[in-house]
Amino acid sequence: MYAAERHQAIADLVTKRNRVSVTELAAHFDVTTETVRRDLSTLERLKLVRRVHGGAVSIGSLTVLEAKLPERGQTHAEEKDAIARAALELLPAEGGTLVLDAGTTTVRLAELLPTDRRWTVLTNAVPIAALLAPATHVELQLLPGRVRTTTQAAVGHATVEALGHFRADLTFVGTNGLTVSHGFSTPDTEEAATKRAMVAAAQRVVALADSSKIGQERTVRFARVDEVDVLVTDSRIDAADQQQLEAAGLEIARVG
C-alpha cells in the first residue's frame, strides 16, 4: 500500500471509530509505530484527524481533548522514569530554587530530589505539593490559583502573578507538543499562561517530554524553541526532528 492510500485509509478508520491508537494502526496496516506517528502528523496538518496521546481522534471530536493525569501517568512510563532520572544531572550541585510544573514526569522528578541539599520548590501541582510537603530538605511554595481537575494544576491570574515575584535557578516544565515552527504548546489557554510565567521566572529552563510529544502541535504556544535551554527526552526521538531542534538552538539530552 502506498503512503497516500494508507493516509486515506487511516483517516477513514479514525472517522469511523472516533478514536484509534497508534499501536492499533501499526498492527492494522503492518507498519511501525514511528511510521504511524508520521502519518498522523501529516493527517493532522491536513486537518483530517486530531492527534492525542497515544493515537488520534476524529476531527469532529472535542476541540480540546486531554488525558486525565492518572491515564497520562501510565503512558510511556519507562521513558518518563528515565527522563526524570536524567534531569537530576541538571540540578545545581549546591541546591537552590526550583520551579516544578504540573505533570507526570515532574512528579517523578520530585520523588527523586536529592536529600543531601536544600531546595526551595515552587509548584502549581497538587500531587507534587502533597509529595514534598513532609520533606525536611524542601521549603515548599504552593502557587495559588484555580485547580484544573484534568491536570491537578493551579492556573489563572493569581498563579501567573505569584510567579512574577520569584526568580528561580531552574524551571522544569512539561509540554503537550513541540515543533520548531510552533515551539512548545499545550491545549489550554490558562495552562499555557502559567507555563509561560514559569519559563520567565527562571535563569535556566529545562523541558521534560517523551518523544511522543515531539512533532505535535497543540493550540496554544507557551514558549519558542529558543526560550528553553534543554530538552530531556528519550532515544525514540526522530533523527530529523532532533536535527531541526538542535539547529534552532535547543540542547537535547537523550536517555535510554
Side-chain angles (χ1 to χ4, degrees), residues 116-184:
D116 61 344
R117 284 163 268 177
R118 293 288 304 170
W119 306 103
T120 298
V121 174
L122 286 69
T123 187
N124 66 329
V126 174
I128 291 177
L131 177 70
L132 294 180
T136 57
H137 62 299
V138 173
E139 178 185 327
L140 178 66
Q141 296 277 349
L142 179 58
L143 296 167
R146 176 183 66 85
V147 176
R148 298 185 68 220
T149 55
T150 305
T151 58
Q152 297 177 31
V155 297
H157 175 74
T159 319
V160 172
E161 184 179 18
L163 282 161
H165 295 295
F166 290 96
R167 188 62 171 167
D169 298 300
L170 198 58
T171 280
F172 289 98
V173 67
T175 187
N176 298 86
L178 170 59
T179 64
V180 170
S181 59
H182 192 48
F184 295 83

Side-chain angles (χ1 to χ4, degrees), residues 2-21:
Y2 292 109
E5 295 174 318
R6 188 174 63 250
H7 291 166
Q8 184 60 58
I10 290 174
D12 291 343
L13 194 60
V14 173
T15 300
K16 180 180 178 180
R17 296 187 184 178
N18 283 329
R19 179 169 184 147
V20 183
S21 72

Side-chain angles (χ1 to χ4, degrees), residues 160-256:
V160 172
E161 184 179 18
L163 282 161
H165 295 295
F166 290 96
R167 188 62 171 167
D169 298 300
L170 198 58
T171 280
F172 289 98
V173 67
T175 187
N176 298 86
L178 170 59
T179 64
V180 170
S181 59
H182 192 48
F184 295 83
S185 58
T186 192
D188 183 78
T189 302
E190 288 188 306
E191 290 261 6
T194 300
K195 290 174 183 288
R196 195 175 297 122
M198 289 179 168
V199 169
Q203 296 178 9
R204 186 168 169 81
V205 181
V206 178
L208 307 179
D210 66 78
S211 58
S212 70
K213 314 290 177 57
I214 300 168
Q216 298 195 41
E217 294 182 347
R218 295 299 178 230
T219 309
V220 191
R221 177 175 62 202
F222 64 85
R224 300 188 309 271
V225 171
D226 62 0
E227 292 177 308
V228 173
D229 297 289
V230 183
L231 168 68
V232 185
T233 189
D234 60 80
S235 60
R236 296 183 182 181
I237 181 175
D238 182 78
D241 287 334
Q242 178 171 346
Q243 186 176 18
Q244 289 178 352
L245 291 167
E246 289 178 329
L250 182 63
E251 179 184 341
I252 296 179
R254 287 177 38 163
V255 299

Side-chain angles (χ1 to χ4, degrees), residues 48-69:
L48 295 175
V49 304
R50 179 179 294 280
R51 291 195 67 179
V52 296
H53 292 292
V57 297
S58 66
I59 202 68
S61 298
L62 295 174
T63 56
V64 176
L65 183 60
E66 295 177 278
K68 290 189 176 180
L69 199 63

